[in-house]
């Protein structure tokens, strides 16, 4: 078996990584550990409407399409 070829050329890889960063920045699932509220925000450092900053954040692109 010979060496495997890369899936993307350098420019395609750069664009793919940029797209992931944008998705990560603009679609963040948030869960308040204090009151259990859930919402989608555009930032990882968020505060719940109940005042808690104990908020779990997960990038939405990590969830499979349904």
């Amino acid at each position: 078996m010979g060496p495997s070829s890369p899936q993307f050329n350098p420019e395609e890889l750069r664009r793919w990584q940029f797209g992931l960063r944008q998705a990560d920045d603009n679609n963040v699932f948030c869960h308040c550990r204090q009151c259990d509220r859930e919402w989608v925000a555009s930032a990882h450092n968020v505060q719940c409407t109940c005042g808690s900053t104990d908020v779990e954040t997960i990038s939405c692109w990590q969830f499979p399409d349904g």
Side-chain angles (χ1 to χ4, degrees):
M1 253 183 159
S4 63
S5 61
Q7 294 290 327
F8 299 113
N9 68 41
E11 177 59 22
E12 290 169 331
L13 180 61
R14 185 196 66 73
R15 284 185 294 192
W16 180 75
Q17 290 172 329
F18 177 76
L20 283 181
R21 280 192 306 274
Q22 282 201 307
D24 191 34
D25 289 344
N26 296 316
N27 300 287
V28 181
F29 174 79
C30 303
H31 170 249
C32 178
R33 291 183 178 109
Q34 187 161 340
C35 73
D36 278 337
R37 181 174 174 258
E38 297 176 338
W39 70 98
V40 175
S42 60
H44 282 272
N45 298 323
V46 294
Q47 181 175 353
C48 184
T49 56
C50 76
S52 175
T53 56
D54 187 9
V55 176
E56 174 184 24
T57 58
I58 304 169
S59 300
C60 288
W61 64 265
Q62 295 179 22
F63 293 98
D65 289 339

